[in-house]
Amino acid sequence: MADPGTAPSPPTPPARDSPLARAERFVWLTARVLEQRLFAHHFRGGAADPVETALDAYRNEDGGYGHGLEPDLRGPVSQPLHTARALDVLDAVGRCDGRRAEQVCRYLTSVSTADGALPAIRPSQRGYPTAPFVPVVDDPTGQLSATGPVVGLLHRNEVWHAWLFRATDFCWQAAESLERSHPYEVQAAVAFLDRVPDRPRAEAAAERLGRVVRGQRLAVLDPDDLDAYPVASGYAPGEHHFPHDYARTPQSLARAWFTDEEMARSLDFLAAEQQEDGGWPVRWRRWAPAPVLEARPVVTIEALRTLGAYGRPIG
């Protein structure tokens, strides 16, 4: 038995040429402090407190988050997309509860539309650099792509707030009525359905949504034949989505949409995407250097977590 007064030994370093070791070097070379702390938490036994401290730098007095937390939105003002990213970080380190969640919910209430949904971008973003594929309008409507992941994370963490009732109703209506869709909207629907408490209803909605995905060829099932799969309108050339983009873990409802062989090919493709510098690429439109530089560590951590969730060797 170890001496209780002795500090625990650090985790064993990954093999020098492993995907994890290469990614770790990439993160230390390029990432913001937040992603450095997240990487340490997920893969090196790092504590949650430093992650939360780094995240606080992006928090505003209104309870929302800004300051480029979502790299494609620059400037200090709070936006729903920034706040969704903050909730994802808090969930990842087990801190999506208590007073912090209450503050976030108050912010979400103040910026939601009449039906309880969240717009992706509010007009306060005008005047700050913003990705051209995220238009700023004067009267934005609520969107499933902005609302679904937030509502799903709050349900996953058993956060209860008056705003959630209307927002959950909005997500149910939107997810159950999708006919023509696009990958990011489907991913948002999955983020909601994977975590909402009514499991039988979620399973039925997910089964129907899977037929939409396959019918509209929204997932690349053969990475060797990318040209056979259309890229959604407004997306960058080559901005394809794959089974692993929908089913981030084997427990996701979206996993049932794909055969074992299709998922294996998807994960093979994901593993092979690691670049020479150790990081994974962004597939969406590159509009300025800094957003790409800041987004790649986020994408890299997500890729490693997905591969690890499926038991693929990373270390």
Side-chain angles (χ1 to χ4, degrees):
M1 181 174 179
D3 182 348
T6 302
S9 300
T12 302
R16 179 173 297 181
D17 294 327
S18 70
L20 185 61
R22 294 165 57 206
E24 185 169 28
R25 175 175 170 78
F26 170 77
V27 165
W28 282 116
L29 280 172
T30 67
R32 303 178 295 190
V33 172
L34 176 60
E35 280 71 44
Q36 291 174 10
R37 295 297 199 180
L38 268 174
F39 186 96
H41 175 76
H42 287 309
F43 306 111
R44 302 291 288 143
D49 283 350
V51 179
E52 192 169 8
T53 298
L55 182 63
D56 276 344
Y58 300 89
R59 186 159 59 98
N60 288 321
E61 292 183 0
D62 60 7
Y65 290 77
H67 305 279
L69 178 56
E70 168 54 54
D72 283 323
L73 306 180
R74 316 307 288 185
V77 294
S78 297
Q79 292 293 342
L81 287 183
H82 291 310
T83 305
R85 173 62 184 154
L87 284 174
D88 192 55
V89 171
L90 291 169
D91 173 72
V93 298
R95 297 291 175 86
C96 189
D97 57 10
R99 183 167 175 268
R100 178 59 52 81
E102 175 66 28
Q103 291 173 333
V104 168
C105 285
R106 282 203 299 269
Y107 166 75
L108 297 174
T109 301
S110 72
V111 300
S112 62
T113 57
D115 53 6
L118 296 172
I121 305 295
R122 302 188 69 241
S124 56
Q125 183 66 26
R126 186 171 283 111
Y128 297 105
T130 307
F133 47 82
V134 190
V136 181
V137 298
D138 290 329
D139 189 20
T141 59
Q143 298 178 22
L144 177 61
S145 57
T147 314
V150 169
V151 173
L153 283 172
L154 292 174
H155 279 303
R156 169 183 163 88
N157 288 277
E158 299 182 349
V159 174
W160 290 104
H161 188 275
W163 173 77
L164 259 182
F165 291 99
R166 288 187 304 144
T168 300
D169 286 343
F170 170 85
C171 290
W172 275 127
Q173 191 279 328
E176 291 177 327
S177 62
L178 285 180
E179 294 296 340
R180 298 295 303 177
S181 190
H182 60 90
Y184 293 119
E185 187 174 47
V186 173
Q187 286 178 263
V190 171
F192 168 71
L193 295 173
D194 273 349
R195 296 151 174 166
V196 70
D198 189 341
R199 302 315 299 152
R201 186 176 179 182
E203 290 165 6
E207 184 178 357
R208 191 192 70 83
L209 188 57
R211 292 194 293 271
V212 171
V213 167
R214 295 188 74 95
Q216 295 178 24
R217 301 174 71 79
L218 298 181
V220 173
L221 303 180
D222 183 1
D224 293 328
D225 189 16
L226 293 178
D227 291 340
Y229 298 88
V231 174
S233 176
Y235 284 30
E239 192 174 351
H240 292 98
H241 287 72
F242 300 81
H244 66 261
D245 290 312
Y246 301 106
R248 293 280 181 187
T249 72
Q251 292 74 39
S252 173
L253 291 174
R255 175 61 185 88
W257 302 349
F258 310 107
T259 68
D260 290 347
E261 183 179 358
E262 289 166 349
M263 184 57 69
R265 283 199 298 262
S266 180
L267 294 169
D268 288 344
F269 180 85
L270 176 61
E273 269 198 309
Q274 187 173 22
Q275 298 188 324
E276 194 68 29
D277 61 8
W280 268 259
V282 298
R283 296 196 209 110
W284 56 89
R285 194 177 305 279
R286 301 179 177 212
W287 62 280
V292 175
L293 183 68
E294 294 177 359
R296 285 192 65 207
V298 177
V299 172
T300 295
I301 291 171
E302 289 178 351
L304 290 169
R305 294 187 71 194
T306 298
L307 290 170
Y310 280 93
R312 292 297 184 100
I314 59 174

